[in-house]
Amino acid sequence: SLNYGGIGAIIGHELTHGYDDWGGQYDRYGNLKQWWTQDSYRKFQRKAECIVKLYDNFTVYNQKAYQKWVREHGPERPLPGLKYTHEQLLFIAFAQVRKLL
């Protein structure tokens, strides 16, 4: 659960670099300057929303990836000293890694 949450955050982060708007925030000299027109930015946002919808609904054999792993391998044993379920730990790991990105 911890690996799925942490690595999932990194993979998702890296995949979306192709669809972020950072390139529009810096001019060709590297100065922070919004150089896209409002119309261009709106068009970009509409196209980027397709990626959000795609990955928001992404499943493996009609299940989310971690749920598929649990179905095939059985539930993970609780970790000693932790009061969280593995589903909770997945989201905790995701949040911890995402905070660093």
Side-chain angles (χ1 to χ4, degrees):
S1 61
L2 295 170
N3 285 337
Y4 271 89
I7 293 168
I10 293 168
I11 291 170
H13 172 83
E14 295 304 326
L15 281 172
T16 58
H17 274 307
Y19 305 94
D20 64 31
D21 64 351
W22 284 35
Q25 296 177 19
Y26 295 89
D27 67 15
R28 64 182 172 186
Y29 304 107
N31 299 313
L32 183 60
K33 179 181 178 184
Q34 179 63 268
W35 60 272
W36 288 356
T37 66
Q38 287 296 323
D39 186 49
S40 293
Y41 188 68
R42 278 192 299 274
K43 287 178 183 176
F44 169 83
Q45 287 178 311
R46 278 197 306 273
K47 290 184 183 272
E49 186 62 31
C50 293
I51 296 301
V52 172
K53 289 178 183 175
L54 173 68
Y55 281 93
D56 195 36
N57 293 303
F58 188 74
T59 60
V60 177
Y61 302 112
N62 294 324
Q63 292 190 340
K64 304 295 184 189
Y66 178 66
Q67 294 167 340
K68 179 182 180 300
W69 187 91
V70 170
R71 190 183 83 229
E72 291 176 355
H73 301 279
E76 294 184 81
R77 292 182 297 165
L79 294 176
L82 294 179
K83 62 181 178 179
Y84 301 107
T85 68
H86 278 284
E87 233 174 69
Q88 291 171 319
L89 289 170
L90 181 142
F91 287 103
I92 290 169
F94 177 89
Q96 287 177 328
V97 170
R98 186 63 186 105
K99 181 176 80 168
L100 301 173
L101 298 174

